[in-house]
Amino acid sequence: HASSVVSKMRFAVPAFQLHSLLQVFLTLAASLFTLRIGAGLAAWRAANQLEKPNYTVVKRLPAAVSGGVLGRRPEIEIRKYEPYLIAETTVEESSMRKAGSQGFGKCAGYIFGKNNPIKATEPEKMAMTAPVRSVGEAPAAASSGEKMAMTSPVRSSGNTGGRKGKTKISFVIGSKYNLQNVPRPIDKSV
């Protein structure tokens, strides 16, 4: 008989507790959103402080789409880059995600110390630069037309049809290095 009394009882949450729970949920959601935006801004600032190859703008063209920052029409820049060095590796992978992970690790290992410096006795840790470039190469049979890579700021073009191919991943080497003083990679695939 006691079990039938318990089953007929209704459990209600008082309105003030429901309001408090809703406030906690909304505060938590707003905090997570703010944290995500803050982390994104911090990453953007860090990326914009990296050394990049020097260039001059040869020409500015209006973009075909509207919706630029603060109502300005976006532009396309034709740039002429000064010569620069890259550390590059080729990965036998057509998936840009998998290739990027494998290739990034090899190139990052090189700039973070897996190298033989020309003059020093210890491996040299080089500064991170931008851009990191990735270019997919489709097999010859899948090729049609001229392949062109995008460059703003990461270059990327994938393979078509899921066919096996190669992907090149490269890092720009800092401007203090040239062919005579750049450390040599230990990993021969870089």
Side-chain angles (χ1 to χ4, degrees), residues 1 14 18 45 91 106 121 125 138 140 153 157 183:
H1 190 323
L18 187 58
R45 280 188 175 158
V91 180
K106 287 182 180 192
T121 57
K125 291 183 181 179
S157 64

Side-chain angles (χ1 to χ4, degrees), residues 131-143:
V132 173
R133 305 178 321 165
S134 62
V135 179
E137 298 177 352
S143 177

Side-chain angles (χ1 to χ4, degrees), residues 16-166:
F16 72 91
Q17 283 182 336
L18 187 58
H19 181 72
S20 295
L21 276 170
L22 184 59
Q23 275 187 317
V24 167
F25 175 75
L26 290 175
T27 302
L28 183 60
S31 298
L32 288 173
F33 178 74
T34 302
L35 182 63
R36 173 64 180 107
I37 294 297
L41 284 174
W44 178 78
R45 280 188 175 158
N48 280 323
Q49 291 176 356
L50 295 176
E51 180 183 351
K52 298 172 186 75
N54 294 325
Y55 64 88
T56 55
V57 176
V58 176
K59 190 172 187 179
R60 295 183 196 276
L61 305 170
V65 296
S66 61
V69 178
L70 299 175
R72 293 186 315 188
R73 188 171 180 92
E75 294 180 329
I76 298 169
E77 292 182 343
I78 307 296
R79 299 175 177 178
K80 180 179 181 184
Y81 282 87
E82 294 178 12
Y84 59 92
L85 298 176
I86 60 172
E88 181 175 80
T89 189
T90 300
V91 180
E92 295 282 338
E93 180 61 61
S94 56
S95 162
M96 293 300 277
R97 179 175 290 186
K98 291 177 185 175
S101 177
Q102 292 171 18
F104 188 93
K106 287 182 180 192
C107 289
Y110 165 65
I111 69 166
F112 293 137
K114 290 185 179 178
N115 58 54
N116 293 316
I118 300 298
K119 295 182 180 175
T121 57
E122 294 292 317
E124 187 170 342
K125 291 183 181 179
M126 297 182 265
M128 193 67 185
T129 59
V132 173
R133 305 178 321 165
S134 62
V135 179
E137 298 177 352
S143 177
S144 62
E146 183 177 344
K147 294 179 197 162
M148 297 175 65
M150 300 179 339
T151 61
S152 178
V154 176
R155 294 191 330 176
S156 178
S157 64
N159 298 322
T160 57
R163 297 180 182 101
K164 276 292 187 188
K166 297 179 183 179

